[in-house]
Amino acid sequence: MEHPLIVGVDGSESSLRALDWAVDEADRQAVPLRIVHASSWEWYEGREPSFGINRALVRAQADRVVADATERAHCRSSSVKVTSQTLDEDPASALIRESRRASGILVGSRGRGRLAGLLLGSVGLAVAARAACPVTVVRGAEDHRGGSHRRVVVGVDEAADARPALDYAVRCAQRRGAALDVVHAWRCPAHEAPERPRPADAADTHQERAERRVEEAIGGLARTHSAVPVHRRVVEGSPRAALLDAAAGADLLVVGARRRTGQVGMQLGPVNHAVLHHAACPVAVVPHA
């Protein structure tokens, strides 16, 4: 059975930009697109409901949001099969549940209500942390969302953990006719302790170890995806800075997320949080197998 892409909409400009990106991505993947609106989105993102709330009006507004989003999707592409659904529940729970039957979840990058000033809305953060499939937070300026850079960036750490994100990233690059930048950051303790003498070969040793790690991670890509140009970016510094720098000239940044032992959901560490809040382009969070 063909799993659809699912995009969460709430009527905001941020969610409509995510919808446009989702339509284009569904077209590239030749998969259906499902538009989901959860009718309690308003107060989930910061507005407190009153006891006198009119459920009929809430439902009517939700239906208008979905109808407008569906029309927008049809206008953007006539080849994508579009369905829609309104759910009477909080959006994070709805999208996390729906992720079990989706090839990907897409959300906008801003919150609503009193939390609108957050760099990433609470719904997007919750879904990115717990979804069972890749989650893309659509952010950045039009040139980044529109694919004008023709570059996909993926961050890799340990070779064993890097494969899901790397496989996802190379498929994205292939569909876009883009190059793939594989980014790995390394740090040398001797360089971070100025009081101590720096061994002359410390940086070289760390650089060589980092390059070997990247080669292990990307092994086999040349055979399976020979049409995708692969560039290695092995740099000294923090992973956060390296990925944000690379994302400044990219159409998509892909990062992995580790499962927490004994707990449900993905662990979004400081690097994941940083790129979700600050990257210049859309960010895809891919769960490790």
Side-chain angles (χ1 to χ4, degrees):
M1 183 176 178
E2 198 172 31
H3 290 302
L5 286 176
I6 295 178
V7 57
V9 299
D10 62 358
S12 67
E13 284 301 315
S14 174
S15 77
L16 293 178
R17 289 192 293 269
L19 172 64
D20 291 345
W21 201 91
V23 173
D24 295 344
E25 185 64 17
D27 210 353
R28 280 189 289 264
Q29 295 188 28
V31 297
L33 177 67
R34 191 146 74 88
I35 298 169
V36 172
H37 173 71
S39 59
S40 61
W41 205 302
E42 293 285 343
W43 52 82
Y44 188 87
E45 287 289 3
R47 296 183 185 179
E48 296 177 1
S50 68
F51 289 106
I53 192 168
N54 188 319
R55 292 285 176 181
L57 288 178
V58 170
R59 181 68 188 204
Q61 173 61 23
D63 289 342
R64 282 195 297 273
V65 168
V66 170
D68 290 346
T70 302
E71 181 181 4
R72 183 178 178 119
H74 283 307
C75 290
R76 191 167 183 91
S77 174
S78 59
S79 61
V80 175
K81 179 182 178 182
V82 178
T83 59
S84 60
Q85 188 174 13
T86 302
L87 301 172
D88 187 18
E89 59 183 302
D90 77 77
S93 296
L95 292 174
I96 291 165
R97 186 189 65 249
E98 294 296 321
S99 73
R100 303 187 192 105
R101 300 182 295 274
S103 59
I105 299 287
L106 302 101
V107 294
S109 61
R110 295 282 176 172
R112 300 192 68 183
R114 288 197 303 270
L115 303 182
L118 288 178
L119 294 172
L120 175 62
S122 55
V123 171
L125 193 58
V127 176
R130 296 172 55 200
C133 66
V135 175
T136 301
V137 175
V138 180
R139 55 178 301 113
E142 174 59 32
D143 61 324
H144 292 280
R145 301 193 311 273
S148 61
H149 296 275
R150 299 178 68 84
R151 288 178 61 244
V152 172
V153 172
V154 59
V156 301
D157 190 3
E158 298 295 334
D161 290 339
R163 181 53 59 182
L166 195 58
D167 288 344
Y168 183 88
V170 75
R171 291 195 301 270
C172 289
Q174 186 172 40
R175 287 192 292 264
R176 288 165 171 76
L180 178 66
D181 281 8
V182 180
V183 177
H184 177 73
W186 59 272
R187 307 183 83 157
C188 178
H191 288 184
E192 298 175 6
E195 305 85 6
R196 300 178 182 176
R198 298 187 181 186
D201 62 346
D204 291 341
T205 300
H206 283 79
Q207 176 78 21
E208 291 169 2
R209 184 182 299 121
E211 290 173 353
R212 286 196 302 271
R213 184 170 293 174
V214 170
E215 290 303 321
E216 291 173 5
I218 66 175
L221 281 187
R223 295 190 301 273
T224 58
H225 295 85
S226 58
V228 177
V230 178
H231 306 294
R232 301 153 180 79
R233 296 183 61 165
V234 181
V235 297
E236 181 179 8
S238 72
R240 174 186 182 277
L243 291 174
L244 290 177
D245 180 63
D251 305 310
L252 178 66
L253 169 62
V254 180
V255 293
R258 292 185 178 90
R259 293 284 184 182
R260 292 179 292 186
T261 303
Q263 299 185 47
V264 176
M266 293 185 292
Q267 178 180 355
L268 293 182
V271 174
N272 294 45
H273 274 276
V275 298
L276 285 169
H277 285 294
H278 300 292
C281 66
V283 178
V285 179
V286 180
H288 292 175

